[in-house]
Amino acid sequence: MIEGRLTRLRALRSEDAAHHLRWRNDPEVVRWAAAGDPCFGPVTAEAVALAFDTMLRLSPRESAVFTVEDAAEGGAIGMADYRDLDPYAGVATLGVTIGEKEFWGRGHGSEALRLLMDHLFGAYGLHRLELDTWSGNERAVRCFLGLGFREEGRRRAAVLTDGRRHDRVLFGILREEWAGLAAATGRP
């Protein structure tokens, strides 16, 4: 378990499938998490069960999905993951979704992502982390920039949501940038 002040990350469990099913069938969660991408949701219970069968067998050397819990109450509030971990290049791709809307805008997603960053830079000694979002998700953009990620590029008009085109915004952070931020904030 990876502990923070607001959140903790723990290993995914089979009973978390019920949360994922609910989140991925909530149009507002799907809109913000994936710009309304129908591959994210809505989904059937059978599709989630199949995905969970795979996720529970992931090798942490390549990828992992964590459950984000509220530290105060202990309940599942979202998910965080890394994937495409390349130990030779020292790179991984991250993601975070807070599925419980009452926790939106309260710092839980930012802390969960920071905990995951600290884990990957610390335990795996990676050189670079990357992630992306769509340009209409201003809350995610602020979160990523606030954690030290830098905008590295855009795929113009690559996302269609609510009948409008948005850019796919690409972010990255290097190990030395993360280390400088950790030192400035007193984190190990």
Side-chain angles (χ1 to χ4, degrees):
M1 190 167 304
I2 303 168
E3 302 265 352
R5 188 178 57 79
L6 297 172
T7 60
R8 63 181 161 254
L9 305 179
R10 66 159 170 80
L12 192 67
R13 299 179 191 144
S14 58
E15 59 266 23
D16 293 325
H19 303 297
H20 284 244
L21 180 64
R22 187 168 31 82
W23 299 331
R24 292 181 61 185
N25 283 292
D26 182 319
E28 198 174 2
V29 173
V30 172
R31 180 175 192 271
W32 294 113
D37 183 345
C39 292
F40 188 81
V43 294
T44 63
E46 293 79 10
V48 169
L50 266 170
F52 258 69
D53 189 45
T54 300
M55 287 189 291
L56 290 169
R57 289 178 170 75
L58 291 174
S59 166
R61 292 188 179 276
E62 299 166 2
S63 57
V65 179
F66 295 93
T67 296
V68 178
E69 290 184 333
D70 174 52
E73 302 288 323
I77 63 168
M79 59 185 132
D81 74 286
Y82 65 90
R83 55 200 172 281
D84 305 325
L85 191 144
D86 181 339
Y88 179 74
V91 176
T93 301
L94 310 181
V96 65
T97 298
I98 300 299
E100 298 299 332
K101 292 183 269 193
E102 63 268 24
F103 292 93
W104 288 2
R106 296 175 45 195
H108 292 75
S110 293
E111 184 181 76
L113 190 55
R114 184 191 52 79
L115 291 171
L116 185 56
M117 292 166 62
D118 291 350
H119 173 66
L120 291 169
F121 277 129
Y124 286 87
L126 296 181
H127 176 70
R128 169 189 168 80
L129 299 175
E130 53 195 39
L131 43 70
D132 65 64
T133 191
W134 57 289
S135 58
N137 193 345
E138 295 170 6
R139 186 172 52 231
V141 169
R142 282 191 311 273
C143 167
F144 302 161
L145 292 172
L147 289 169
F149 283 88
R150 293 186 186 178
E151 183 177 325
E152 296 182 332
R154 288 177 178 252
R155 293 189 179 132
R156 296 174 299 141
V159 175
L160 176 65
T161 187
D162 300 331
R164 294 184 51 222
R165 289 274 167 197
H166 295 272
D167 295 346
R168 171 80 47 209
V169 188
L170 312 171
F171 295 89
I173 187 169
L174 303 178
R175 178 180 197 73
E176 57 268 18
E177 295 164 342
W178 164 80
L181 288 168
T185 58
R187 290 192 333 266

